[in-house]
Amino acid sequence: MSSLRFDFSYNQLAWISCFLLVYCLILSGVVLFLCLKKRKEKREKKWETVKKEFQFTLPDKDNSFVRERLTGALKSDSENKEQGVVLLKDMDLKLDYTRKTLAKLKALSLTPADRLEVNRISKTVTFFALKNALSPTETRSLNDCFSRLLKLSAKYAV
């Protein structure tokens, strides 16, 4: 039996090793590309499921209050301004009681956060009292001030 023997020169071995190195680099690059592609597809599939979970849908027709607010938020500002401007004379809004309650609260020893809240409510109420007409967003903001004032007056028994 004859043995298989290869006789290569130094230059031939150098070329063969370079060829094998390039072949290994190309093969590892292809494997890396396939792994990254699979990972990207997996990530996109996961993103699609998350997106489907948080997809916005309008509530049922029974819940008309929420439905009207959502469709109102989708309208442009000009449509909202034309639709819901309320005159303060029509509301018969008297802010004397509110100002007296704010004065009583300012006289008490409040926490710093509550003192800031009372000052913010006072500025907002004064600002809206100087206006002749309120838009729906301003009316909601004034109602929020009244609710915060109610909570503070209940907290400090005013």
Side-chain angles (χ1 to χ4, degrees):
M1 186 162 189
S2 69
S3 72
L4 190 61
R5 190 161 184 236
F6 297 108
D7 290 329
F8 294 112
S9 69
Y10 180 74
N11 284 339
Q12 290 173 336
L13 284 176
W15 278 105
I16 291 173
S17 62
C18 285
F19 174 74
L20 288 176
L21 180 66
V22 169
Y23 178 74
C24 288
L25 287 175
I26 290 173
L27 187 63
S28 62
V30 168
V31 169
L32 181 66
F33 175 74
L34 293 176
C35 289
L36 290 176
K37 187 176 178 182
K38 189 174 184 179
R39 181 186 248 177
K40 183 180 177 184
E41 289 172 357
K42 187 177 180 182
R43 197 177 308 136
E44 286 176 355
K45 192 181 289 184
K46 183 178 178 184
W47 174 248
E48 288 296 323
T49 57
V50 169
K51 203 161 119 179
K52 285 180 183 177
E53 288 177 7
F54 290 107
Q55 190 173 13
F56 179 75
T57 56
L58 285 174
D60 297 332
K61 290 183 180 179
D62 298 337
N63 196 349
S64 62
F65 174 73
V66 175
R67 192 172 187 81
E68 287 174 8
R69 289 194 66 181
L70 287 174
T71 55
L74 296 175
K75 292 180 183 176
S76 66
D77 290 336
S78 61
E79 291 175 356
N80 284 338
K81 286 180 182 177
E82 293 172 1
Q83 188 178 23
V85 175
V86 178
L87 297 175
L88 288 179
K89 294 175 186 175
D90 296 341
M91 289 176 55
D92 194 28
L93 187 63
K94 297 181 179 137
L95 299 174
D96 294 335
Y97 179 75
T98 305
R99 289 186 179 121
K100 288 177 185 176
T101 307
L102 285 169
K104 288 178 187 177
L105 281 171
K106 286 180 180 179
L108 296 174
S109 60
L110 303 174
T111 63
D114 289 339
R115 185 159 303 281
L116 284 173
E117 187 72 23
V118 168
N119 288 337
R120 195 175 314 133
I121 292 169
S122 176
K123 288 178 184 177
T124 307
V125 168
T126 305
F127 175 73
F128 287 136
L130 298 175
K131 288 187 143 194
N132 291 332
L134 297 178
S135 68
T137 55
E138 292 170 338
T139 306
R140 272 187 244 116
S141 177
L142 188 61
N143 285 337
D144 291 341
C145 289
F146 289 149
S147 68
R148 290 191 308 249
L149 181 64
L150 180 66
K151 288 178 185 177
L152 286 172
S153 61
K155 181 178 180 180
Y156 291 100
V158 174

